[in-house]
């Protein structure tokens, strides 16, 4: 059975319990800007495509006033029992939308949470980075089955690891966030500015954790390597390439990778317990460089509403390449699969994201043409799950009972 920490909002809680002594709960800071988790490898069986839960002819309820009232109550309940001060939810489907914010923008303020805020989106960033790679595939500048050694030197067994395996999290490379030295550095200073090569070095010294292509093992190391490939092949920085070839063509006005701890207003304050003593602190302006192209991006609800269906449709890719992206492999948990930088969660396709202070869910249910975006200003767990996950589950319990977004609780 796959450890439930593979997703963007599960790994840190599991991992921090593996850290002992003076470091205490350092993985909290060890995931200190974690776009995604420190995951355990799990045998996911065959790499053949699996059928999406979306094939089960979903029922999506009409957003009548009565249904909207139920949603209001359910979301307020999840917010009350969470460590977040605010949450925003957007559900768009043919006929009527539901777009609302609840709570406040931070502690000690009466300023309301707003659906227009900029928010840190964590591993939703991966959907942009992998799209950039796939555009190079379309241009015939790279092939998915090329070995990473063709582009990047020094990768353990790099001649045996393909770009496809990196994108689908089956390379066998350790997530650098699991490295104890990394954890110590980021715990001592959550504003430490990491370079990509510095982060990769933390992973490479451990070699392979499993044979390439045999096990699903969620690892930010994979996405950082893909960023290096994009840069080498295109001659541009990954940020510039994504901006020119992904963000602008998608007409996303408020999505970008920040420089250092840049975070334009308006935004909510973000709260985390990724601290040595698990105390909850304000992480709003912590440096996100420990994520780089794996999870450092800032976006808005309106941009993600536009982006989610574009990812699922493959608007910026050729059909054959999009088909490769959407070929999901099992991860060891019923109802969940992972493609090339996309997650299939009981038919809802997209990605989630978490880093200190913020959690996001961005998914699209193609068979119902429905899109769901959830942002919360906390990454603290309540009963093994983070606020955005609880809210996404509560919403889909009501509106799409045959396709309920959910993740196993971390324990």
């Amino acid at each position: 059975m796959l450890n439930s920490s593979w997703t963007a909002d599960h790994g840190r809680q599991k991992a921090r319990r593996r850290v002992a002594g003076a470091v205490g709960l350092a993985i909290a800071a060890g995931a200190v800007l974690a776009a995604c988790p420190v995951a355990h490898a799990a045998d996911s069986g065959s790499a053949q495509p699996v059928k999406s839960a979306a094939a089960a002819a979903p029922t999506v309820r009409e957003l009548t006033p009565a249904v909207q009232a139920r949603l209001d109550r359910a979301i307020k309940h999840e917010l009350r029992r969470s460590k977040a001060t605010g949450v925003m939810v957007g559900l768009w489907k043919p006929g009527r939308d539901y777009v609302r914010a609840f709570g406040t923008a931070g502690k000690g303020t009466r300023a309301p949470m707003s659906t227009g805020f900029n928010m840190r989106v964590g591993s939703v960033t991966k959907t942009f980075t992998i799209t950039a790679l796939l555009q190079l595939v379309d241009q015939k500048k790279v092939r998915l089955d090329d070995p990473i050694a063709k582009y990047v030197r020094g990768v353990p067994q790099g001649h045996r690891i393909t770009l496809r395996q990196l994108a689908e999290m089956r390379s066998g490379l350790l997530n650098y966030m699991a490295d104890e030295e990394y954890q110590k550095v980021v715990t001592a200073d959550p504003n430490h500015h990491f370079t990509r090569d510095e982060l990769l070095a933390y992973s490479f010294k451990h070699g392979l954790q499993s044979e390439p292509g045999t096990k699903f093992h969620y690892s930010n190391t994979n996405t950082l390597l893909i960023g290096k490939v994009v840069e080498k092949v295109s001659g541009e920085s990954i940020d510039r390439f994504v901006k020119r070839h992904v963000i602008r063509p998608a007409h996303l006005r408020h999505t970008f990778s920040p420089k250092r701890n840049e975070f334009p207003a308006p935004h909510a304050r973000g709260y985390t317990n990724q601290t040595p003593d698990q105390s909850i602190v304000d992480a709003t302006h912590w440096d996100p460089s420990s994520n780089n192209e794996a999870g450092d991006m800032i976006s808005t609800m309106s941009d993600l509403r536009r982006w989610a269906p574009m990812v699922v449709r493959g608007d910026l890719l050729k059909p054959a390449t999009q088909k490769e992206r959407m070929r999901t492999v099992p991860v060891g948990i019923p109802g969940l699969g992972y493609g090339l930088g996309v997650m299939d969660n009981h038919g809802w396709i997209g990605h989630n994201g978490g880093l200190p202070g913020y959690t996001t869910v961005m998914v699209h249910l193609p068979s119902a043409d429905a899109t769901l975006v959830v942002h919360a200003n906390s990454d603290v767990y309540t009963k093994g799950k983070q606020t955005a996950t609880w809210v996404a589950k509560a919403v889909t319990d009501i509106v799409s009972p045959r396709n309920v977004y959910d993740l196993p609780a971390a324990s």
Side-chain angles (χ1 to χ4, degrees):
M1 181 69 174
L2 178 69
N3 185 296
S4 62
S5 65
W6 75 274
T7 55
D9 72 349
H10 277 67
R12 295 180 293 278
Q13 179 157 308
K14 285 277 190 178
R16 63 167 65 107
R17 292 176 181 173
R18 298 197 297 270
V19 182
V23 178
L25 304 176
I27 192 66
V32 135
L33 310 162
C36 268
V38 177
H40 292 253
D43 189 349
S44 58
S46 169
Q48 295 301 311
V50 296
K51 292 183 178 180
S52 167
T59 298
V60 177
R61 300 186 191 280
E62 292 301 318
L63 296 175
T64 63
V67 169
Q68 293 190 49
R70 286 183 63 192
L71 290 172
D72 287 350
R73 291 192 296 271
I75 295 166
K76 289 176 181 177
H77 169 74
E78 296 302 342
L79 181 58
R80 282 194 300 270
R81 71 188 188 120
S82 79
K83 301 300 181 182
T85 69
V87 63
M88 63 181 85
V89 179
L91 176 63
W92 298 269
K93 61 181 292 295
R96 185 176 292 184
D97 302 334
Y98 176 91
V99 182
R100 297 187 185 173
F102 302 84
T104 66
K107 296 180 179 181
T109 178
R110 294 183 179 180
M113 193 72 159
S114 169
T115 58
F117 281 168
N118 295 302
M119 297 291 278
R120 298 193 188 277
V121 300
S123 281
V124 172
T125 305
K126 290 180 172 66
T127 63
F128 292 90
T129 303
I130 302 304
T131 297
L133 174 71
L134 296 177
Q135 288 179 328
L136 294 177
V137 171
D138 278 346
Q139 297 168 21
K140 301 187 183 305
K141 294 181 178 179
V142 302
R143 296 182 308 145
L144 285 172
D145 294 320
D146 284 343
I148 184 62
K150 181 176 179 179
Y151 306 99
V152 181
R153 295 181 179 179
V155 181
Q157 298 295 311
H159 63 289
R160 301 172 56 213
I161 299 170
T162 67
L163 303 186
R164 183 191 304 275
Q165 290 163 349
L166 292 168
E168 68 184 9
M169 302 294 175
R170 292 164 65 89
S171 71
L173 292 168
L174 181 74
N175 190 341
Y176 56 82
M177 291 181 174
D179 178 75
E180 290 187 5
E181 183 181 350
Y182 164 85
Q183 295 165 12
K184 291 177 182 178
V185 171
V186 79
T187 301
D189 180 12
N191 280 309
H192 178 86
H193 190 75
F194 290 94
T195 66
R196 182 197 291 129
D197 286 343
E198 183 180 3
L199 295 171
L200 290 174
Y202 290 128
S203 172
F204 290 174
K205 67 184 181 182
H206 296 279
L208 291 183
Q209 305 302 293
S210 60
E211 287 295 302
T214 63
K215 294 182 179 181
F216 180 89
H217 180 97
Y218 196 99
S219 173
N220 281 350
T221 302
N222 296 324
T223 314
L224 266 58
L225 282 170
I226 287 173
K228 285 198 83 161
V229 172
V230 172
E231 291 189 345
K232 181 168 185 177
V233 173
S234 70
E236 299 182 64
S237 71
I238 181 65
D239 292 349
R240 179 171 172 78
F241 186 94
V242 167
K243 182 177 181 179
R244 292 183 61 223
H245 300 284
V246 183
I247 293 173
R248 285 180 180 169
H251 303 290
L252 306 179
R253 298 174 56 198
H254 305 288
T255 301
F256 67 100
S257 291
K259 297 178 180 178
R260 298 282 178 161
N261 61 356
E262 173 191 6
F263 197 174
H267 59 254
R269 310 297 300 184
Y271 300 95
T272 187
N273 65 345
Q274 295 195 41
T275 54
D277 61 359
Q278 294 190 76
S279 60
I280 296 177
V281 300
D282 187 327
T284 305
H285 292 292
W286 284 9
D287 190 312
S289 61
S290 65
N291 298 284
N292 279 289
E293 55 268 42
D296 68 356
M297 293 183 81
I298 290 170
S299 191
T300 62
M301 175 168 282
S302 60
D303 272 12
L304 295 190
R305 176 221 176 159
R306 180 176 179 81
W307 178 237
M310 292 184 74
V311 171
V312 176
R313 293 191 304 257
D315 287 5
L316 301 181
L317 302 175
K318 294 180 179 179
T321 304
Q322 175 66 5
K323 185 176 180 180
E324 293 300 308
R325 168 153 68 181
M326 300 297 285
R327 287 168 57 93
T328 59
V329 295
V331 302
I333 300 172
L336 302 184
Y338 203 85
L340 302 182
V342 293
M343 172 178 64
D344 183 338
N345 188 315
H346 302 89
W348 290 93
I349 300 172
H351 221 289
N352 62 339
L355 73 172
Y358 302 90
T359 49
T360 295
V361 171
M362 180 205 76
V363 286
H364 182 73
L365 186 62
S367 52
D369 193 22
T371 299
L372 174 65
V373 177
V374 179
H375 290 298
N377 66 338
S378 169
D379 69 319
V380 180
Y381 288 78
T382 301
K383 295 186 177 181
K385 302 181 187 182
Q386 293 173 317
T387 305
T389 298
W390 280 119
V391 170
K393 181 180 186 303
V395 169
T396 54
D397 271 334
I398 294 169
V399 301
S400 58
R402 294 185 185 177
N403 298 82
V404 176
Y405 180 98
D406 197 14
L407 297 168
S411 58

